[in-house]
Amino acid sequence: MAAPIGFLFVLCLQIVLVFSGMLYPRNSMSRTVFQNIDGMWNFRIDASESRFQGFSEKWYTRPLKQSGPVIPMPVPASYNDITQSKELRDFVGWAWYDNEFYVPPELTTKRVVLRIDSAHYNTIVWVNGQEVMQHFGGHLPFEVELTKYDVQGPNRVTVAINNTLTPTTLPPGTIEYKNDPLKYPKGYFVQNLQMDFFNYAGIHRSVKVYTTPKVYIDDITIVTGIQGTNGVVSYTVKSTPASSAQSVHVVILDREGRSVGESGQSQGQITVHNANLWWPYSMVTSANETAYLYTFKVTLTSNSGVTDQYSLPFGIRTVSATSTQLLLNNKPFYCHGVAKHEDADIRGKGLDFPLIAKDFNLLRWLGANCIRTSHYPYAEEIMDQADQQGVVVIDESPGVGIHKGNFGNESLSHHLQVMEEMIQRDKNRPAVIMWSMANEPQSGLPEAEFYFKTISQFVKKMDPTRLVTFVANADYQEEKAAQYNDILCINRYFAWYSDCSHTELINLQLTNDLQAFHSKYRKPVIVTEYGADTIPGLHQDPSFVFTEEFQVEFLTEYHKVFDRLKKEFLVGEMVWNFADFMTLQQITRVVGNKKGLFTRQRQPKMSAHVMRSRYHGLMHSNATQHSYAQGHATVSSKFTPPVVFPVG
Ligand code: GCB
């Protein structure tokens, strides 16, 4: 049988993994993000039977339009929903892009870096026909230094992306050849998914070219602690090449730009007296502010006297857990949030600033204080908003749907690599409190134990300051790997996927199940998913599945259990899902998953009003408890619960 659609080809190539800090590109006195190569690119899929034509004809050696027809394709965006072509929407294999960029001559004396914030999934990049980098996996940035190439310009950048999912990719999937000649034409295959969202592909985030000096600040790691009223900031600055760095100066600036601590060492500890801690907006009282961010400003001077400057926003806060509590800054935090997707009409998973702003407005409108980046790391621009707006994040890897056959060494080593890239990218973000290794793996299988033990230990070694988990759906009796989680994150669909419609059973079943989990592991629990598909505008009384009434009734039954167990060991609840999203075509999905509180276009269903009322109420009671604990009785009036939506 032919190698599935040219996929094996990329595995045979040497995967170049240059480990560096990859600090998010920011302008400073010494750095310029001088080109954002976003906009219309030339685009063509390789629809040849082998999907190999692009490589055998070396499409990267000349402009794509010279080797065949091209169409304009926006970047960033998924390519799937841009045209009227079903073939393109459902395409599996290599897709090719090209565009041009210039490097102004005065900048060629600097270190020039080409960075792709994310592309799905496996990517090869050529500049002027020369291969400059590969990246294995989507959702995370990758970059290459172009200094050694001749980039006076015009420069052609060619990008080939393969969206095929196999048993060893993250997420995993399979390519299935259909060999019955009576039913399928020769060579017919399908991509089987093990996840419940559309396999969007393309250059999903921005492509940038930026400069740094040749001796540069490569990485910054910040870890914070609290001592009394002071913040303790431990840090490490890595410079490259280390031998050429003469001095490092770091200064911590408060919101007003005043220095609150400094040092001349590349590694050390700075005490910030009377520190303003980073608090989620739901925990703000008259005594503290939402999401206070300091700036960690680093100045590196090289032996030859050239300086590099980088300013990193960060927050001072701690995260910990007891057997029944989740603590932020040593105060109990109850997560009332939503699980999300990067997903919208037309652009698919493409970065979209209006959508990011809208979603954060809706999160605040709802009163949600926490999101999970289900089921993959979200764009850095989304994470920035979480840091700035005080929304807590459970940061999830693309380890979604790891089933039997996906626990081997190749999968494990790739999973470790992805965790490393994700933690490296997000390690300084105050909003991130927990790393999620995976969503709904078959963790009842014996092989899951070693797999998650290995990843959990690796994560804790890389970052001992945050919690680690995977999101489980196995039965508590079968569960083999949850022992390696700090918090038990559990997805439950009683009265939906089991005993469908019987909301009267939710109380009994959910209570027993969560209590059994907690008794087994003695760890706090978050219900990370619960929800029911709801077609907006469909009404029936008494309630009926798929109606707006049913969704409200379903959620409300879960809330009764949450309100009881919250007094014991439950530390969070997260509705599935914030908004409707696109999935594979199948008989259980009506143009996508409809469990959203909002439609895909971000209009509220009845349930959104119910959740708003609940979450603002929870915020009010939490803030009251929190302020009493601190000896302050005033709660900001912005947490006054909205009028309860009249239901039933
Ligand atoms: C789950 C999955 C999520 C699905 C959801 C559903 O358990 O984690 O990816 O979309 O159920 O709606 O079935």
Side-chain angles (χ1 to χ4, degrees):
M1 184 193 299
I5 52 173
F7 183 77
L8 291 179
F9 171 77
V10 77
L11 297 182
C12 299
L13 289 170
Q14 193 200 358
I15 308 288
V16 189
L17 291 168
V18 183
F19 189 75
S20 77
M22 292 222 304
L23 293 168
Y24 186 77
R26 294 176 199 277
N27 288 317
S28 76
M29 297 298 283
S30 57
R31 296 172 171 234
T32 324
V33 185
F34 68 89
Q35 239 180 70
N36 207 328
I37 324 179
D38 292 352
M40 290 297 187
W41 288 50
N42 302 308
F43 177 87
R44 173 164 78 245
I45 50 172
D46 181 348
S48 64
E49 201 189 327
S50 66
R51 302 294 200 261
F52 207 75
Q53 191 182 350
F55 293 100
S56 52
E57 292 179 1
K58 300 194 168 115
W59 287 355
Y60 46 87
T61 54
R62 44 197 182 129
L64 269 185
K65 61 175 184 276
Q66 288 180 12
S67 52
V70 291
I71 59 168
M73 183 56 68
V75 169
S78 301
Y79 57 69
N80 309 75
D81 292 345
I82 298 296
T83 72
Q84 301 310 103
S85 158
K86 202 167 164 179
E87 184 193 18
L88 178 57
R89 186 191 65 202
D90 299 334
F91 180 71
V92 183
W94 290 100
W96 292 74
Y97 290 75
D98 80 7
N99 206 341
E100 276 187 357
F101 68 94
Y102 286 82
V103 181
E106 66 275 15
L107 293 180
T108 49
T109 54
K110 297 220 170 194
R111 178 173 164 265
V112 178
V113 181
L114 170 68
R115 173 181 171 114
I116 299 184
D117 284 346
S118 96
H120 283 34
Y121 283 98
N122 297 330
T123 309
I124 307 178
V125 182
W126 296 260
V127 170
N128 301 328
Q130 194 168 352
E131 186 185 320
V132 294
M133 65 174 158
Q134 293 185 20
H135 187 253
F136 198 37
H139 316 283
L140 288 162
F142 48 103
E143 64 180 29
V144 64
E145 190 175 326
L146 295 177
T147 319
K148 66 177 178 198
Y149 305 101
D150 176 14
V151 284
Q152 295 281 331
N155 300 297
R156 188 182 61 257
V157 55
T158 311
V159 179
I161 302 178
N162 194 323
N163 61 348
T164 312
L165 297 179
T166 75
T168 55
T169 55
L170 272 196
T174 51
I175 294 292
E176 184 186 351
Y177 279 88
K178 303 278 194 179
N179 293 325
D180 182 345
L182 296 180
K183 289 186 176 168
Y184 304 100
K186 190 168 163 288
Y188 196 86
F189 68 88
V190 289
Q191 167 78 75
N192 295 320
L193 302 180
Q194 297 168 196
M195 65 205 196
D196 180 38
F197 53 93
F198 194 89
N199 192 27
Y200 280 113
I203 303 180
H204 280 165
R205 299 179 192 153
S206 292
V207 182
K208 295 167 185 144
V209 189
Y210 71 96
T211 62
T212 73
K214 289 203 168 143
V215 180
Y216 63 100
I217 301 157
D218 186 14
D219 195 18
I220 302 171
T221 307
I222 296 176
V223 169
T224 61
I226 303 170
Q227 266 174 11
T229 56
N230 297 337
V232 180
V233 180
S234 307
Y235 69 91
T236 308
V237 174
K238 188 180 158 219
S239 41
T240 298
S243 57
S244 309
Q246 191 192 58
S247 70
V248 170
H249 182 256
V250 304
V251 55
I252 296 179
L253 304 172
D254 68 10
R255 265 190 190 164
E256 278 69 46
R258 292 177 302 230
S259 164
V260 292
E262 51 192 290
S263 160
Q265 305 295 318
S266 59
Q267 193 172 1
Q269 228 174 48
I270 299 175
T271 299
V272 178
H273 296 282
N274 289 321
N276 285 299
L277 303 184
W278 187 94
W279 290 101
Y281 81 94
S282 62
M283 287 174 91
V284 166
T285 69
S286 58
N288 56 38
E289 293 178 47
T290 295
Y292 195 100
L293 293 177
Y294 289 92
T295 301
F296 193 82
K297 185 172 170 191
V298 181
T299 306
L300 167 77
T301 307
S302 72
N303 291 335
S304 52
V306 179
T307 59
D308 185 20
Q309 265 184 6
Y310 193 88
S311 290
L312 179 75
F314 77 102
I316 299 176
R317 61 107 188 82
T318 59
V319 186
S320 54
T322 68
S323 61
T324 55
Q325 285 181 311
L326 167 58
L327 303 170
L328 291 191
N329 303 332
N330 301 317
K331 299 270 185 282
F333 172 71
Y334 185 77
C335 154
H336 40 87
V338 289
K340 288 185 91 264
H341 262 298
E342 286 182 323
D343 176 273
D345 287 333
I346 304 171
R347 73 247 324 114
K349 290 200 178 308
L351 178 84
D352 181 22
F353 284 106
L355 185 72
I356 295 173
K358 180 73 177 174
D359 280 5
F360 274 84
N361 274 303
L362 290 177
L363 290 173
R364 295 294 290 256
W365 180 88
L366 266 184
N369 64 356
C370 182
I371 59 170
R372 174 164 63 116
T373 68
S374 37
H375 295 307
Y376 36 79
Y378 289 1
E380 286 165 274
E381 294 77 2
I382 296 176
M383 305 299 276
D384 285 345
Q385 289 307 305
D387 281 342
Q388 289 165 24
Q389 299 201 30
V391 175
V392 165
V393 177
I394 300 173
D395 204 352
E396 186 156 283
S397 89
V400 46
I402 301 177
H403 295 170
K404 194 167 181 54
N406 309 133
F407 287 101
N409 285 343
E410 196 177 328
S411 299
L412 179 57
S413 100
H414 178 52
H415 202 145
L416 292 172
Q417 174 68 38
V418 172
M419 293 307 297
E420 183 171 355
E421 289 178 32
M422 178 171 99
I423 296 169
Q424 174 61 29
R425 192 194 74 162
D426 292 342
K427 67 185 172 186
N428 295 317
R429 294 189 174 280
V432 174
I433 62 159
M434 183 151 60
W435 305 112
S436 166
M437 301 179 276
N439 179 72
E440 299 193 351
Q442 286 185 335
S443 51
L445 295 173
E447 53 267 48
E449 187 184 341
F450 173 76
Y451 191 90
F452 284 106
K453 180 181 175 188
T454 310
I455 299 175
S456 167
Q457 286 175 346
F458 175 83
V459 169
K460 281 184 173 296
K461 200 162 165 211
M462 250 192 110
D463 180 8
T465 71
R466 290 185 178 81
L467 306 170
V468 63
T469 195
F470 67 82
V471 172
N473 70 339
D475 183 89
Y476 75 94
Q477 284 167 313
E478 288 163 14
E479 179 57 57
K480 301 282 188 304
Q483 57 189 301
Y484 304 111
N485 294 344
D486 293 320
I487 305 270
L488 304 169
C489 289
I490 302 171
N491 295 347
R492 284 298 180 255
Y493 287 91
F494 299 122
W496 188 257
Y497 289 122
S498 58
D499 298 307
C500 186
S501 85
H502 293 278
T503 50
E504 70 279 7
L505 297 176
I506 290 172
N507 198 335
L508 179 72
Q509 296 187 355
L510 185 64
T511 306
N512 287 338
D513 183 55
L514 297 183
Q515 271 170 344
F517 253 106
H518 177 68
S519 310
K520 184 171 174 191
Y521 296 102
R522 297 277 156 210
K523 290 181 180 171
V525 174
I526 300 180
V527 173
T528 31
E529 287 184 25
Y530 69 108
D533 283 88
T534 306
I535 309 295
L538 205 60
H539 292 280
Q540 196 141 314
D541 186 39
S543 77
F544 212 88
V545 288
F546 292 105
T547 65
E548 296 206 33
E549 284 77 5
F550 182 83
Q551 189 183 31
V552 166
E553 181 181 309
F554 177 99
L555 299 177
T556 308
E557 282 306 304
Y558 276 72
H559 298 160
K560 290 179 190 160
V561 180
F562 297 158
D563 285 340
R564 253 186 300 110
L565 298 185
K566 187 171 171 284
K567 298 183 186 117
E568 300 177 31
F569 53 80
L570 190 76
V571 298
E573 55 186 85
M574 306 180 86
V575 185
W576 188 262
N577 189 285
F578 170 73
D580 294 346
F581 57 90
M582 194 46 69
T583 62
L584 191 79
Q585 302 187 62
Q586 52 189 316
I587 52 170
T588 54
R589 295 286 176 259
V590 188
V591 196
N593 187 310
K594 295 282 191 262
K595 295 192 184 70
L597 301 175
F598 298 93
T599 63
R600 203 182 192 208
Q601 297 72 34
R602 276 44 179 182
Q603 294 307 324
K605 300 181 192 171
M606 247 165 83
S607 58
H609 297 278
V610 172
M611 292 311 303
R612 178 169 193 237
S613 171
R614 173 171 177 77
Y615 281 0
H616 281 265
L618 283 172
M619 196 147 54
H620 185 71
S621 61
N622 287 348
T624 308
Q625 279 164 20
H626 178 59
S627 59
Y628 286 156
Q630 290 200 321
H632 304 289
T634 359
V635 173
S636 158
S637 60
K638 61 181 173 259
F639 296 134
T640 307
V643 176
V644 177
F645 187 72
V647 180

